[in-house]
Amino acid sequence: MTWDGNPNTYDVIVVGAGPAGLTAGIYLGRAKMRTLVLNEGPVGGQLVLTHEIANYPGVESISGYQLAATMKKQASTFGCTIRSNVAVTNFDLDGEVKTIEVNGKETFCAPAIILAMGGRSRMLSVPGEQEFKGKGISYCATCDGDFFQDKDIIVVGGGNSALEEAVSLTKYARSVTIVHQFDEFQAFAHAIEEARANAKISFIMQSTVTEFMGNGFLQSVKIRNLVSGEITERAIDGVFIFIGYVPNTEKFVGRVQLNSGGEVVVNSSLETNVQGVYAAGDSIQKKYRQVTTAVADGTIAALSAIGHLHNHRANQLEKAL
Amino acid sequence: MLQTSLKHILTEQDFQDTLRSNENVMICCGRMGPMCIPVYEVMDELQGDYDHVAFRDMEFDGPIGHLIRTLPECKSFRGLPFTVYFKNGKVVRATTSIQTKDQVTEILDAEYAARAAK
Ligand SMILES: Cc1cc2nc3c(=O)[nH]c(=O)nc-3n(C[C@H](O)[C@H](O)[C@H](O)COP(=O)(O)OP(=O)(O)OC[C@H]3O[C@@H](n4cnc5c(N)ncnc54)[C@H](O)[C@@H]3O)c2cc1C
């Protein structure tokens, strides 16, 4: 809008380059807003974790990587600057002009911010999990399933992902044991039926894995029965963990309003409780988390931010008169 | 062939030549999957900063994937990608599964000394 000539000054800074952040970038870029998108990981977010997207309208089937690459290209073509693999190390969201420090050395400022940090798979966070990641512990059945040909494996979790992935892993494994903390599954009926009907799948309910053990690679796990408290050790070749999702909002605790699940609280314009700060995508309080809902949020947040910038500019002009 | 912007190693000859003609070589051997793509992207970004390192990728399921798969350093690996760091043709480090930019940078700095001045 009114650029002061400082290369680190933007109209809008978007935090996160998943589908929500990239869509915001597309809309802001097209509206000729100086826009910076900052991303901690690779561009595309969870989209690049998806082998095939078959439910994005207008595109019959596409890999998540390709869809993300196209969104990135669109945003860049419209003039948006995208910086990936950077770390947001500090920020100040209060006041008319907000600042964001990156990698502890560069500071960017803008009157509007869009938070689009998405989410990530939850880890069990028990002893041995880091040590045996990639050496028996996996979070991706399609990536690592074939390392477990004719092996005995465990799937931890009881939602749709856990049950669907357990069924898909029976293509490789000799046996799949689902370990779930509750006495029933939190999944669609058809997913539960399919898992129950599979002769290779067995179930350990009301239990959780408390430790991973091995020598160079995973060899056994400790499983605790949550009702009796009994702990048993079980020899195992592999463990796949699908225990849900956590929003990437830890850095923003106490800076914008979050609900008890750590999701950003927004109004219908996707504005947070801090003026000029908007949020979009999987990190906000909402029920359905899909690419389509994330891009819709990115659109709304961008348009709301543009509205805010017009008011900001009018205020500045008024002050100058 | 992997759809990345890295240079690919496609033949055994290519593999041997790369190791022979470069002191420092990082090879990421994987598929176009969610654990591999982030590592390729990190390598692509670091290429400019580490011009004393040859960054390459290789197809895990391709005809020469076994050159990485069967390395003793990868024996316990069960997560893609297998990323191997060579110095003077010898393996100095190997990692399994997804890695962050910080993790990769730490290894590059430790094994291949200081980052080349830009
Ligand atoms: C395995 C899997 C399969 C899926 N399949 C489908 C499907 O088939 N169809 C469908 O519609 N949806 C699917 N989804 C869901 C869909 O991918 C998400 O709903 C969507 O990606 C959310 O977009 P987002 O932009 O809100 O967040 P994300 O995609 O999570 O992107 C957020 C980005 O923000 C970055 N970030 C996080 N913290 C910070 C920070 N502090 N600073 C800077 N950057 C940060 C992250 O690195 C990431 O790049 C799937 C998800 C998974 C995990």
Side-chain angles (χ1 to χ4, degrees):
Chain A
M1 295 198 89
T2 43
W3 186 40
D4 60 8
N6 178 345
N8 287 5
T9 301
Y10 287 86
D11 292 320
V12 186
I13 300 174
V14 181
V15 183
L22 290 172
T23 304
I26 292 168
Y27 274 79
L28 292 163
R30 275 202 96 185
K32 305 279 178 233
M33 299 287 153
R34 262 179 68 78
T35 306
L36 173 67
V37 181
L38 298 170
N39 197 62
E40 267 194 356
V43 171
Q46 294 171 74
L47 205 49
V48 297
L49 303 186
T50 312
H51 280 274
E52 191 203 1
I53 306 268
N55 53 6
Y56 192 76
V59 186
E60 270 194 354
S61 167
I62 189 167
S63 76
Y65 179 69
Q66 270 180 301
L67 187 57
T70 310
M71 286 185 188
K72 178 183 175 185
K73 194 168 161 222
Q74 281 176 290
S76 304
T77 307
F78 288 128
C80 174
T81 304
I82 301 173
R83 298 266 308 263
S84 56
N85 287 300
V86 295
V88 169
T89 41
N90 208 347
F91 55 89
D92 183 357
L93 301 181
D94 301 323
E96 271 196 41
V97 175
K98 289 104 178 43
T99 58
I100 296 195
E101 182 198 77
V102 164
N103 297 337
K105 45 185 188 211
E106 275 176 287
T107 303
F108 301 99
C109 57
I113 304 282
I114 296 176
L115 303 176
M117 296 83 60
R120 62 180 187 278
S121 300
R122 194 186 292 277
M123 294 180 76
L124 269 175
S125 302
V126 300
E129 189 171 5
Q130 283 296 345
E131 186 183 346
F132 296 111
K133 181 185 119 189
K135 296 179 179 174
I137 298 178
S138 175
Y139 303 86
C140 177
T142 38
C143 306
D144 301 332
D146 58 354
F147 290 110
F148 299 90
Q149 199 75 50
D150 298 321
K151 306 272 188 211
D152 298 311
I153 61 172
I154 281 175
V155 167
V156 182
N160 286 313
S161 302
L163 295 183
E164 284 165 13
E165 300 295 24
V167 170
S168 83
L169 284 164
T170 59
K171 278 189 295 199
Y172 312 105
R174 179 169 49 201
S175 75
V176 177
T177 305
I178 297 179
V179 176
H180 183 43
Q181 59 180 332
F182 301 120
D183 59 354
E184 56 186 43
F185 293 109
Q186 288 70 48
F188 294 130
H190 67 84
I192 300 172
E193 269 164 39
E194 208 183 332
R196 288 206 190 280
N198 192 310
K200 282 190 178 179
I201 299 181
S202 59
F203 304 89
I204 301 181
M205 305 300 281
Q206 294 180 287
S207 298
T208 185
V209 172
T210 55
E211 192 173 346
F212 296 99
M213 289 159 299
N215 188 2
F217 52 87
L218 181 70
Q219 289 168 319
S220 65
V221 292
K222 279 188 183 159
I223 298 175
R224 192 163 94 92
N225 182 303
L226 294 169
V227 181
S228 66
E230 187 193 357
I231 294 178
T232 48
E233 191 172 331
R234 187 185 175 109
I236 205 76
D237 299 307
V239 176
F240 286 77
I241 301 173
F242 305 105
I243 50 169
Y245 152 94
V246 265
N248 292 322
T249 54
E250 294 87 345
K251 280 188 181 156
F252 297 89
V253 173
R255 315 294 276 274
V256 292
Q257 192 188 346
L258 305 179
N259 67 12
S260 57
E263 298 156 344
V264 184
V265 177
V266 285
N267 64 18
S268 57
S269 304
L270 301 192
E271 189 174 20
T272 68
N273 64 318
V274 181
Q275 204 185 18
V277 179
Y278 300 82
D282 277 13
S283 54
I284 68 170
Q285 175 175 325
K286 65 175 178 180
K287 192 165 174 191
Y288 300 113
R289 294 189 160 78
Q290 288 287 288
V291 179
T292 47
T293 59
V295 302
D297 290 346
T299 309
I300 297 168
L303 297 176
S304 300
I306 293 169
H308 171 77
L309 286 165
H310 284 299
N311 292 338
H312 173 79
R313 193 182 178 198
N315 285 344
Q316 274 188 327
L317 282 175
E318 214 167 273
K319 275 185 201 159
L321 292 175
Chain B
M1 200 165 59
L2 296 165
Q3 302 116 38
T4 73
S5 38
L6 295 168
K7 280 194 184 160
H8 316 297
I9 295 186
L10 299 170
T11 63
E12 184 155 2
Q13 187 62 48
D14 203 2
F15 179 72
Q16 304 301 354
D17 289 348
T18 305
L19 293 190
R20 208 172 302 121
S21 51
N22 297 280
E23 183 184 346
N24 306 315
V25 181
M26 173 184 182
I27 301 178
C28 182
C29 183
R31 297 177 181 144
M32 286 313 288
M35 300 289 143
C36 305
I37 290 166
V39 183
Y40 305 138
E41 287 217 352
V42 164
M43 291 169 74
D44 191 25
E45 276 188 26
L46 291 174
Q47 289 199 92
D49 290 347
Y50 291 82
D51 44 18
H52 60 314
V53 180
F55 292 89
R56 301 286 187 272
D57 64 30
M58 192 194 267
E59 252 184 299
F60 191 82
D61 305 300
I64 55 159
H66 65 278
L67 296 174
I68 295 289
R69 279 201 311 261
T70 55
L71 286 170
E73 290 81 0
C74 300
K75 199 167 155 253
S76 63
F77 290 4
R78 285 173 197 161
L80 287 178
F82 292 7
T83 307
V84 183
Y85 300 78
F86 296 87
K87 191 163 189 75
N88 299 318
K90 299 251 173 340
V91 177
V92 287
R93 273 295 186 102
T95 61
T96 171
S97 194
I98 190 170
Q99 303 289 310
T100 63
K101 186 178 180 183
D102 284 349
Q103 288 171 317
V104 173
T105 308
E106 200 184 306
I107 298 176
L108 293 176
D109 288 341
E111 300 300 341
Y112 303 146
R115 183 186 293 237
K118 273 215 85 184

